[in-house]
Amino acid sequence: MIVAVDARPAAFPRRTGVGHYTRQLLRLLPRVDPETRYVAWYLHARALLGERVRLLDEAPPPNLGVRRTPFPSRWFERLSARLDLPRVEWFVRFDVLFAPNFVPPPTEARRLVLTVHDLAFRVLPETAPQATRAWLARLDRALRRASRVLVPSEATRRDLLERAPVAEEVVRVVPEGVDRAVFHPASPQEVAAVRRRFGVDGPYLLYLGGIEPRKNLPTLIRAFARLPRDLDVRLVVAGSWVAWNPEGVRDLEAALAGLPAEARARVVRTGYVADPDRRALLTGAEAFVFPSRYEGFGLPVLEAMACGTPVVTSNVSALPEVAGDAAILVDPLDEEALAQAVERVLRDGGLQQQLRALGLARAERFSWEETARRTAQVLHEA
């Protein structure tokens, strides 16, 4: 069997959550399923000039091939949206097409497997202006045709069945994992170095993720401003804006502008952070605070737990399913409750230690190897 994987998300230089998901499966699917031939297909307009994109840090296994198409991404997207061309089978031969990022490239393939990571564009349409009618129509067409649809949580499965044209029998829940080679408690030297790099000179809370509306950063900013001054804590906001949803930056900046000058001076914005710095920032934080209004899974919560960091997160969508009893869960729309939960963690050393231990144990239950094994089973079903 030959499985073509739409590897475009993994080829982005600043990978989002979907990019990390795609990269982990490219790395592990060939290893857990050695009898199958996998081919990573992506666009690379400068390939004709000899430039290469490094999809994996290590040498690929022998049953993983790479197929680069020297075509500009922007042109490909425009043609895809308007003409449903060019088709991916023009560039690569396969038995099954795996699309890990919602909408597959144009194809007539009958054996199609796609991953729907969340339903934010339907559950919270006001936070997803990128969800144009054309994009939604393409997704709906793909869902009707798909042999199997992967979702990362039971919460996302329920949302998908309620809000999308998909048959229940084709949907499979395959949770994501934690890369414990990357996410584990960092050394004191690593933490000190990342503090110097970003100018964090005292105890701090950490938000790490995309700067987009559903992440609920204005509520986090206002909750931070409510904390008693004697705690003397900073808030580090780590992550970059997303081009398809610039309202997130606008909302964050408006919330910061509304803070008293003293509180605003204690907020540190780092921009995009690569994995080693993510690990160090997570390890050094007093707490990881993630008050998202909606998540299809919530991988940053598990990454924080794997680094031994206490977690305060939301009691909605997939986050309780992922966090279990290893985090403090709050209503993400209640900034007072959020501030109280954070203050409780900061003042109670025993609670901090309990959350660290519970979080480390919780993260051990999620591995990318298991994600790959279960994904390979679904590909064979297709």
Side-chain angles (χ1 to χ4, degrees):
M1 184 174 76
I2 302 174
V3 176
V5 181
D6 179 3
R8 290 176 294 170
F12 296 154
R14 292 188 170 187
R15 298 185 187 98
T16 62
V18 176
H20 286 289
Y21 168 85
T22 306
R23 182 172 178 270
Q24 289 291 346
L25 290 182
L26 285 174
R27 185 172 69 89
L28 292 167
L29 277 171
R31 290 178 166 83
V32 303
D33 186 20
E35 300 304 314
T36 297
R37 172 72 173 170
Y38 288 89
V39 181
W41 170 82
Y42 66 96
L43 301 171
H44 186 30
R46 301 181 69 86
L48 292 175
L49 301 177
E51 291 190 11
R52 301 283 179 172
V53 170
R54 192 175 180 86
L55 291 179
L56 303 176
D57 291 334
E58 66 270 25
N63 60 325
L64 175 63
V66 175
R67 184 64 56 85
R68 307 172 187 86
T69 296
F71 201 97
S73 297
R74 185 175 299 178
W75 294 3
F76 189 91
E77 287 301 322
R78 287 177 179 174
L79 287 171
S80 298
R82 294 176 184 177
L83 303 175
D84 200 33
L85 294 172
R87 297 200 171 97
V88 68
E89 49 264 40
W90 297 0
F91 309 114
V92 60
R93 184 173 67 87
F94 55 85
D95 301 304
V96 177
L97 175 62
F98 176 35
N101 188 20
F102 296 93
V103 176
T107 182
E108 291 184 339
R110 290 180 299 145
R111 299 184 184 93
L112 171 65
V113 177
L114 58 93
T115 303
V116 174
H117 296 272
D118 63 72
L119 272 291
F121 46 85
R122 287 210 164 104
V123 176
L124 297 174
E126 71 278 9
T127 71
Q130 82 281 11
T132 64
R133 291 182 180 180
W135 188 85
L136 287 172
R138 290 171 64 197
L139 176 59
D140 285 349
R141 288 196 299 271
L143 288 169
R144 291 188 183 99
R145 294 179 49 235
S147 302
R148 294 291 185 271
V149 178
L150 298 171
V151 293
S153 64
E154 288 291 343
T156 302
R157 177 182 176 275
R158 291 192 297 270
D159 289 339
L160 182 68
L161 294 176
E162 289 174 4
R163 301 169 185 269
V166 62
E168 183 174 3
E169 60 268 20
V170 308
V171 181
R172 300 288 184 272
V173 178
V174 178
E176 297 176 8
V178 178
D179 185 353
R180 281 186 286 275
V182 174
F183 293 99
H184 54 81
S187 69
Q189 293 79 12
E190 289 176 301
V191 173
V194 84
R195 281 177 172 274
R196 289 193 299 270
R197 186 173 304 120
F198 294 117
V200 183
D201 60 356
Y204 65 93
L205 307 168
L206 177 67
Y207 165 84
L208 196 156
I211 310 300
E212 51 183 304
R214 68 185 169 97
K215 303 300 185 179
N216 200 28
L217 289 171
T219 298
L220 173 58
I221 294 296
R222 291 190 293 269
F224 170 71
R226 285 175 173 262
L227 294 174
R229 184 66 184 90
D230 70 286
L231 290 171
D232 190 29
V233 67
R234 284 82 178 141
L235 172 63
V236 176
V237 178
S240 62
W241 71 295
V242 289
W244 59 89
N245 211 334
E247 289 83 357
V249 173
R250 180 200 65 196
D251 295 346
L252 172 61
E253 290 177 347
L256 288 170
L259 292 186
E262 179 277 328
R264 190 165 58 248
R266 290 185 286 116
V267 177
V268 179
R269 295 170 63 182
T270 69
Y272 181 81
V273 176
D275 282 349
D277 284 347
R278 285 162 61 96
R279 175 178 66 240
L281 280 173
L282 285 165
T283 302
E286 301 297 311
F288 177 65
V289 190
F290 194 71
S292 178
R293 293 175 58 192
Y294 181 91
E295 294 293 321
F297 187 73
L299 186 55
V301 166
L302 285 181
E303 292 172 346
M305 290 178 175
C307 293
T309 307
V311 173
V312 177
T313 191
S314 304
N315 62 0
V316 298
S317 63
L319 289 165
E321 182 180 337
V322 171
D325 64 354
I328 294 181
L329 305 178
V330 298
D331 179 352
L333 301 181
D334 188 338
E335 62 188 60
E336 181 176 358
L338 180 58
Q340 290 175 349
V342 171
E343 181 179 1
R344 183 181 164 208
V345 173
L346 292 174
R347 293 196 187 279
D348 189 338
L351 177 61
Q352 284 190 25
Q353 291 305 313
Q354 180 184 19
L355 290 174
R356 292 181 196 279
L358 289 171
L360 286 166
R362 183 73 179 175
E364 286 285 339
R365 299 173 59 179
F366 296 83
S367 75
W368 283 116
E369 288 80 3
E370 181 63 17
T371 303
R373 278 191 288 269
R374 293 173 64 174
T375 299
Q377 291 173 3
V378 175
L379 294 172
H380 281 274
E381 286 181 21

